Amino acid sequence: MALRNRVLNSYINLLRTEKRVFNQDLKTLNNVLHQTRQQYRENQLVTDEKKIEELVEHANAVSNFLLTNLVQAVRKSETRFELKFHKDTDLNHTYEFIGDQKIRKKRGKIALDESQEEQSQCCGGGACGTNTNISQKCS
Amino acid sequence: MLRSLSKVLNSNMFRPTTSMNGYLYRNYGSDARLGDKEITDRVIEIVSNYDKVLGKTVSPSTTFKELGLDSLDAADVLVAVEEDFGIEIPDEEADRISSLKETIDFIKKTPTAK
């Protein structure tokens, strides 16, 4: 029972984090939420407790990473981006700017949608790398 | 498509109205809490808009299970509720909540809900 709750809590936690860090970037947010839901569904039938523990740990690590190591860059003009730091952002860090969706970098993805009023992209040190499928879907 | 549109409409048009209400209440220095009816209506709306619930009848006494929602779906709904009311449901509470009524009751006793 306790393990079951930990799974659900990790799920809630991850969804919360994603809604927070991908705030307003609806396209990326929907992709990420979809990916999360799908992966939890896929692993729903896992019965090995050790494996479940590992998956929960992984989900929590991803959540924590997104929260601390991902900064949204919102394009304000042709040459200017506004970085959105929040209270959990780890500032003792060098961030890699990931600004082109077509050239898929090894780590990370971006969401550049011409139709969106605010174009935002994400730059982080690898959080996005954990969600490789999303990036493929984006591009 | 329509659903995403309605979400955009929800966030851009309806929310400022509700927060405005909260603001006015606060101005009068009286109870800043949301009315029971408003909480109930908003919770019903959020649940009704959830993919798997679309088209089903939702009432305050419905349980998530009756709507065909499993624990992951329920978690999803709770996160949507959190987002809408600007609150965070503690883990222990989230584990316990299994119906609309319990969700509504939790919001009622959460003064920061807006």
Side-chain angles (χ1 to χ4, degrees), chain B residues 52 56 63-70 73:
Chain B
K52 297 182 184 172
K56 293 180 187 167
T63 65
F64 294 141
K65 212 175 168 184
E66 283 165 3
L67 293 167
L69 303 181
D70 64 14
D73 294 320

Side-chain angles (χ1 to χ4, degrees), chain A residues 19-123:
Chain A
K19 287 194 179 190
R20 214 166 118 197
V21 301
F22 295 112
N23 177 30
Q24 293 181 339
D25 182 357
L26 286 183
K27 190 179 169 192
T28 311
L29 178 62
N30 285 334
N31 277 329
V32 176
L33 291 176
H34 177 76
Q35 174 88 0
T36 305
R37 289 179 184 128
Q38 204 179 10
Q39 288 198 357
Y40 269 84
R41 292 272 164 217
E42 276 167 17
N43 290 317
Q44 212 171 8
L45 299 175
V46 175
T47 48
D48 180 3
E49 285 199 12
K50 220 176 147 199
K51 177 82 181 140
I52 298 173
E53 289 273 358
E54 277 172 25
L55 289 165
V56 169
E57 298 267 308
H58 177 71
N60 289 337
V62 170
S63 170
N64 192 38
F65 191 97
L66 288 174
L67 208 52
T68 55
N69 290 303
L70 185 120
V71 182
Q72 253 188 340
V74 181
R75 174 170 260 156
K76 291 291 177 186
S77 72
E78 196 61 36
T79 51
R80 212 167 58 87
F81 284 88
E82 185 184 284
L83 292 179
K84 290 186 154 183
F85 295 103
H86 50 85
K87 71 174 171 60
D88 295 306
T89 308
D90 183 357
L91 296 172
N92 305 314
H93 234 292
T94 310
Y95 285 87
E96 177 192 359
F97 181 74
I98 302 162
D100 192 334
Q101 205 171 341
K102 281 165 195 154
I103 306 162
R104 161 116 168 81
K105 297 203 174 137
K106 194 180 163 207
R107 300 186 297 171
K109 54 145 204 317
I110 46 91
L112 233 175
D113 188 350
E114 299 294 333
S115 64
Q116 262 176 289
E117 214 174 287
E118 282 192 338
Q119 298 182 342
S120 55
Q121 305 166 328
C122 89
C123 45

Side-chain angles (χ1 to χ4, degrees), chain B residues 49-64:
Chain B
N49 282 329
Y50 190 69
D51 294 25
K52 297 182 184 172
V53 181
L54 285 174
K56 293 180 187 167
T57 318
V58 182
S59 82
S61 59
T62 327
T63 65
F64 294 141

